[in-house]
């Protein structure tokens, strides 16, 4: 196996042995942002830039931070029409900016392991590398389903709006390809009145389900119906995002619902409504067994100018400090002890690992701590995570790994980085005498795949 | 010496030598929650479950987090009457959950070093281990005083309510056993109007002391009298808990006191009163020399259902972010420069180590930083503590170690883990060249025992 | 080279090689607090205590924390007149308190490398060391300019009030000594209405510039004129301090300006005005190219008694938690995408490294992350910084190193500690396989000097 950005040589000794034992286990991907259409239609991926640069906010944010205009990188909308080869050249020319970042590991892995590119990326090799990738992408072995099989993916969950018809999922499920691609119910635009299209989304969910969304009860029924629809197509989980952690149980949600539908609610009331709906969702999870995910603390679209010209997810989502303890108290107070309820928490505020999440997950039966998320899904981020959660939460209150990516080709790279991190962590525990090698051998596959299967109720 | 959970083998080289030099030093235990009755009555401990599982919130919270009902673990009140052998079986069956946690180290140490159990704990060995422990507990060598002597405890401080008659302490002090067991003055239920029994506690302290608690002045006099009573029985310290750090100097505490006694104060006023009383306590410490301890940032009883069925201290106390700087400003502004005043701060918010506590303790003559507390009293927690406090506070502004435990048998284990952490830290400092081996040899016993003796004014 | 506090021996292998390659590079010091008069007048430094103890708040705060009165340390005002030899004896006697702190490294480096003192400092050697230093200081080779040259300082920036006449800078610039000593524009006392002398400062800036500060427009013009004056004398940067991060764009700053000048504004309005002025300063930076620095989160003078008796900067400035994301949103929303704008952020809240600063600097073209500041300018602080910023921000969004010191003699020591930290970090990256040795060799001088030159626009 080739040296990936130099990273192979470290895993010797105990770490190397632990890594070898889990390196080739199946990939369980319970949370991510791949397009279901890729697997339904199985078309060739377009050019290298459109595959590797344009959609990867880790990549273009870094180039933007060093003065490269987003237009020049082909980022839509304003950048639409940029020449993919020029985009790729710009990327190659700035490749040094990624030294020390996980993007460099992921992309190096994709280039060398998945695409078989051997030349080191640079301004000089940009065109040759571009051509080589373009050739590969035209081959049948590089179509989505073939890659999915080659990657050894056991199950891949996408993330889908509550109004989605899941047509692509149905195609995959009903076809003869054996790949397991399942949806995840992400209803925030129909739960949170601060979303632009909230009102029309509520109308739409009423029409879709035939429920009368004129009343709060009908609205809840419509949500229940959509959850059942997702579950029937294989979903095992829901997903929610929240900036400032706040849940609240309203005495009279019906009244506020009417006010919101009439457009006369305040910002604070809108926030409270979403806080209430998170508890309703938790209660529905108790009923239907869908695992609830909560991604907290990302402040979205902080660069208004970039947002207006290029839209969402353009690298200007920045973490803020959060308070899981007081924020979740109303939710946990209602359903935290309910048998069968499961809630997976994702934080961007690493100070909450040891202070809040580990103590909470070490007590509440429903809680699992999600893996290091986003900026923290990195070698040092993984090390800090283990250092700060394990002593209080143990291993069985963790949710294993998520790649959380929209970069399909990077999935094996991301799981590989995690598995290396697991092997390193466990070998250090053995060295420190926290437990012995036999324990480490048992824990390695648990962390690599079994906890994720278990946390997301994905066991085949 | 046997291998304890595998941890022995690491302490080789410099760390090993430093550890050997402090391993058998006397144990100074200036803050904890042992029952004075154990040492006054010196009765045999009951069965293994009642000794090791039922009272240990580190243990049952973890089992609860993985779905084991607290009733089945014998946790009072709801669990009273559970068969201890069944409780111990449940614990043994879930022993793997503690992999990676300090509880596994502590309990392994107790089993192997203190109780002489050699079989590894598991579902299969549960009954045999139970029987072996039960046998030991019946032996005279395993009575509290014998263990106290065998453990090499130089002094042990308990924590006692302001209304306590300290009868057990008196028995110990007046008897012929040489063990030094001293009380600590913990008056929060008579200081903080938000405690359930506040009003009747104030009445009681009035009766106990003969002071007229009809006035604020009389109330202060009663508190002074109780401090003197504790001091006469050997106390060198007081202890306070506070969730959100807030101190405040009231212009007219008498008026608020009357309002509180009449039951007409608001929640905010009650909080302010406690914030004021902390400053009064600090001022009394200046007078009488009792060291003040402040444990900040634990949000208690966050699981209301568990609280109602099982009471306090059931694993649902969760840390929150705190602000020591602005929170203590009024207190430090009044007494922070007073000669002889000493205030030891304990935090569960590790972000305050480097940001707040180390800079504060590196300036204020009164301040000492308490050791890693609760969830952070662990191998990695100790490493983070040293990493984050020493560069700014140095070593002499630290308060040494506290075991802070109600699990008497675990005291040697906890001091041992700290001493290992000290040896590791100092040997790394030598390796990094921060200072040389001679310095490390001087610092090791300082951190193991002398700082605690000094911080708590416990020198014999 | 002599062993400095024992620290030399660790830098072997890759770290040693990387360190050797950057150890003797020129010193670029773009932010600090040296007196320009030293270089203009080039007089001998006074006695050892006045040089090494009295002005160093790192030193006297630690002694104060252990009960040494500031008066006895000669700290003005209250301590003025103390015998320098007695002060130095007190310092030497408490030298052990600095074990584990960067001060011990810095001072050991100054003593052994700069002053050639070989005897270890202690109560016994205090007088001999004092005499030896005093002798050195009398030699021409220890005058400021000679040391500046010997230290290999390429450029040194001082920090100067907006009303300063920069006479010393002019002397240096117009003289025949080749040393480059440049001013930095620090206008807070004329921007922040909460500064004691704000009103008279505004009057003074009007007189200095001939602008009519009766109007807000005239006030802005006066500030622009002073920026131009500083720039003409070599300044490339401005500097601001802010406790709670808050910027705000006022709709009608003129009205509030008038209110402030009439003395009728509230505290909240004063704070808002400063928040607005930071944005005005940012806009002027877009115009004139001066790099903007923002030092956030230090709560000044928290010990009121010490402040009243000894004045500012007496060791009682304590960090608080900050929120860079929401605090800078108004400022970045106005100028964050402006070409040529550069803003360097300094934090004392290390939790913001990974959570806020690295994601922000990894997106906004204007942002650079300043080096570890104040308490965190230490071996472990530097390690935590790299661990937490690099994976998200990369290396090119960092601002290199600042010594930020008023202790001129310690400048080489501080850069040396940073260069050691750089070498250690890079060698660990190579060991972990993050990148290879060639990359590390390229990054070492970048981190040692080039990023600072670039960030501050100091290229010769």
């Amino acid at each position: 196996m080739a040296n990936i950005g130099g990273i192979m040589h470290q895993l010797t000794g105990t770490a190397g042995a632990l890594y070898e034992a889990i390196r080739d286990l199946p990939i369980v991907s319970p949370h991510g942002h791949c397009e279901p259409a890729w697997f339904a239609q199985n078309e060739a991926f377009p050019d290298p830039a459109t595959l590797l640069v344009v959609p990867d906010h880790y990549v273009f944010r870094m180039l933007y931070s060093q003065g490269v205009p987003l237009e020049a990188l082909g980022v839509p909308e304003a950048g639409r029409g940029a020449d993919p080869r020029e985009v790729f050249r710009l990327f190659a020319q700035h490749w040094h900016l990624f030294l020390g970042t996980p993007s460099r590991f992921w992309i190096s892995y994709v280039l060398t392991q998945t695409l078989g590119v051997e030349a080191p990326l640079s301004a000089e090799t940009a065109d040759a590398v571009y051509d080589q990738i373009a050739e590969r992408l035209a081959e049948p072995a590089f179509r989505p389903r073939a890659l999915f099989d080659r990657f050894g993916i056991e199950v891949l969950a996408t993330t889908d709006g509550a109004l989605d018809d899941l047509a692509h999922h149905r195609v995959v499920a009903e076809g003869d390809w054996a790949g397991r691609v399942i949806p995840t119910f992400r209803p925030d635009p129909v739960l949170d009145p601060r979303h632009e299209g909230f009102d029309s989304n509520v109308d739409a969910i009423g029409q879709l389900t035939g429920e009368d969304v004129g009343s709060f009860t009908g609205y809840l029924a419509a949500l229940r119906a959509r959850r059942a629809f997702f579950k029937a197509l294989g979903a095992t989980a829901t997903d929610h995002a929240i900036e400032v952690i706040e849940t609240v149980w309203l005495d009279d949600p019906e009244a506020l619902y009417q006010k919101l539908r009439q457009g006369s609610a305040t910002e604070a009331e809108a926030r409270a409504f979403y806080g209430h709906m998170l508890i309703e969702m938790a209660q529905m999870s108790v009923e239907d067994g869908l695992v609830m995910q909560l991604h907290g603390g990302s402040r979205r679209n902080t660069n208004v100018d970039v947002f207006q010209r290029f839209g969402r997810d353009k690298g200007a989502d920045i973490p803020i400090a959060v308070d899981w303890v007081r924020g979740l108290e109303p939710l946990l107070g209602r359903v935290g002890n309910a048998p069968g309820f499961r809630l997976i928490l994702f934080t961007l505020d690493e100070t909450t690992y040891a202070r809040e999440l580990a103590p909470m997950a070490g007590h509440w039966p429903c809680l699992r701590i999600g893996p290091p998320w986003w900026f923290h899904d990195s070698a040092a981020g993984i090390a800090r995570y283990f250092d700060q959660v394990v002593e209080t939460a143990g291993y069985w209150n963790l949710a294993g790994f998520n790649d959380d990516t929209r970069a399909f080709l990077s999935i094996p790279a991301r799981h590989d980085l995690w598995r290396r991190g697991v092997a390193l962590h466990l070998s250090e525990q053995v060295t420190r005498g926290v437990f012995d090698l036999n324990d480490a051998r048992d824990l390695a596959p648990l962390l690599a795949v079994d906890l994720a299967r278990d946390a997301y109720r994905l066991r085949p």
Side-chain angles (χ1 to χ4, degrees), chain A:
Chain A
M1 195 176 193
N3 180 312
I4 303 153
I7 215 170
M8 291 301 299
H9 60 82
Q10 70 173 322
L11 293 183
T12 53
T14 305
L18 290 168
Y19 171 65
E20 287 305 320
I22 58 175
R23 196 184 66 183
D24 298 323
L25 290 179
I27 286 177
V28 173
S29 178
H31 174 68
H33 298 274
C34 287
E35 292 292 336
W38 295 336
F39 310 104
Q41 298 165 350
N42 200 33
E43 289 172 1
F45 288 107
D47 64 273
T50 308
L51 184 68
L52 299 174
V53 181
V54 177
D56 190 335
H57 57 76
Y58 289 87
V59 169
F60 59 69
R61 73 174 187 97
M62 179 64 92
L63 273 57
Y64 185 68
S65 81
Q66 286 287 315
V68 181
L70 292 178
E71 291 88 338
L73 292 166
V75 177
E77 297 300 329
R80 229 179 258 291
D83 176 5
R85 185 177 291 271
E86 288 296 339
V87 169
F88 197 81
R89 280 178 189 155
L90 264 176
F91 166 60
Q93 187 183 323
H94 290 87
W95 181 225
H96 62 283
L97 295 180
F98 297 92
L99 279 169
T101 72
S103 293
R104 191 162 167 118
F105 174 83
W106 298 331
I107 295 169
S108 293
Y109 186 104
V110 168
L111 291 174
T112 61
Q113 307 301 303
T114 308
L115 296 169
V117 172
E118 279 170 24
L121 191 63
S122 70
E124 290 71 36
T125 62
D127 279 357
V129 170
Y130 185 91
D131 291 334
Q132 202 181 339
I133 300 173
E135 255 175 66
R136 286 280 185 285
L137 297 183
E139 297 170 22
F142 289 83
R143 300 242 163 159
R145 289 183 179 186
L147 287 173
F148 188 105
D149 294 339
R150 173 175 152 203
F151 291 165
I153 298 177
E154 181 177 297
V155 56
L156 178 84
T158 62
T159 300
D160 312 87
L163 307 175
D164 198 291
D165 62 10
L166 303 184
H168 297 302
H169 285 90
R170 193 183 304 269
V171 168
V172 171
E174 292 173 357
D176 53 5
W177 177 55
R180 186 174 175 201
V181 177
I182 59 175
T184 300
F185 185 65
R186 170 98 165 202
D188 289 355
V190 72
L191 297 183
D192 186 345
R194 292 162 299 175
H195 266 267
E196 306 92 63
F198 171 73
D199 206 51
S200 58
N201 292 337
V202 173
D203 290 339
I205 204 175
Q207 285 167 335
L208 264 176
T209 59
E211 299 290 344
D212 174 10
V213 294
S215 76
F216 183 67
T217 315
Y219 168 68
L220 290 184
L223 287 164
R224 262 191 202 92
R226 293 308 290 171
R227 293 174 66 104
F229 174 71
F230 272 66
K231 195 174 166 181
L233 272 160
T236 70
T238 70
D239 185 30
H240 303 275
I242 186 165
E243 183 182 325
V244 175
I245 316 299
E246 181 182 341
T247 60
V248 57
W249 184 253
L250 298 175
D251 288 335
D252 187 358
E254 177 74 55
L256 181 51
Y257 179 73
Q258 296 305 338
K259 211 167 164 187
L260 284 160
R261 293 286 281 164
Q262 289 152 24
S264 61
T266 65
E267 170 79 17
E269 286 172 327
R271 198 172 59 236
F273 185 79
Y274 182 60
H276 177 85
M277 288 309 299
L278 287 176
I279 303 184
E280 296 279 4
M281 288 293 110
Q283 294 187 159
M284 290 187 198
S285 276
V286 174
E287 294 167 17
D288 63 20
L290 291 178
V291 174
M292 184 172 185
Q293 297 176 91
L294 198 50
H295 286 82
S298 178
R299 186 163 175 86
R300 305 281 175 170
N301 312 312
T302 64
N303 191 330
V304 173
D305 184 56
V306 162
F307 175 61
Q308 286 169 349
R309 294 193 299 133
F310 300 95
R312 297 182 165 272
D313 302 321
K314 291 302 173 288
D317 299 343
I318 309 290
I320 55 171
V322 294
D323 177 352
W324 291 103
V325 185
R326 285 166 286 199
L328 289 188
E329 219 160 66
L331 186 152
L332 292 171
R334 281 191 76 87
V335 296
N337 298 296
F341 178 48
R342 176 153 305 150
L343 173 58
I344 302 176
L345 303 178
F346 295 82
T347 196
L348 290 172
D349 179 356
E350 291 179 302
T351 71
T352 63
Y353 283 158
R355 188 180 60 220
E356 302 173 19
L357 296 184
M360 291 169 83
H363 165 71
W364 291 98
C366 57
L367 291 184
R368 293 287 183 279
I369 308 175
W373 176 33
W374 202 330
F375 302 108
H376 310 312
D377 178 12
S378 61
I382 291 167
R384 288 195 296 268
Y385 173 80
F386 282 127
D387 185 64
Q388 291 173 39
V389 303
V390 167
E391 290 188 322
T392 294
Y395 291 101
W396 277 263
N397 287 309
L398 309 183
F401 184 66
N402 291 177
D403 52 70
D404 196 10
T405 190
R406 59 197 79 227
F408 176 56
L409 260 68
S410 78
I411 287 179
R414 289 170 194 244
H415 286 261
D416 189 71
L417 189 65
W418 170 256
R419 289 171 188 194
R420 289 164 186 277
V422 165
L424 282 168
H425 165 69
L426 294 176
S427 73
E428 283 162 16
Q429 296 282 67
V430 172
T431 303
R432 284 185 213 116
V434 177
F435 40 69
D436 64 26
L437 187 56
N438 284 331
D439 294 319
R441 282 201 192 103
D442 291 345
L443 290 167
L446 186 86
L447 288 162
V449 285
D450 291 322
L451 283 172
R453 282 182 188 134
D454 181 64
Y456 284 88
R457 298 175 174 158
L458 285 168
R459 294 197 171 274

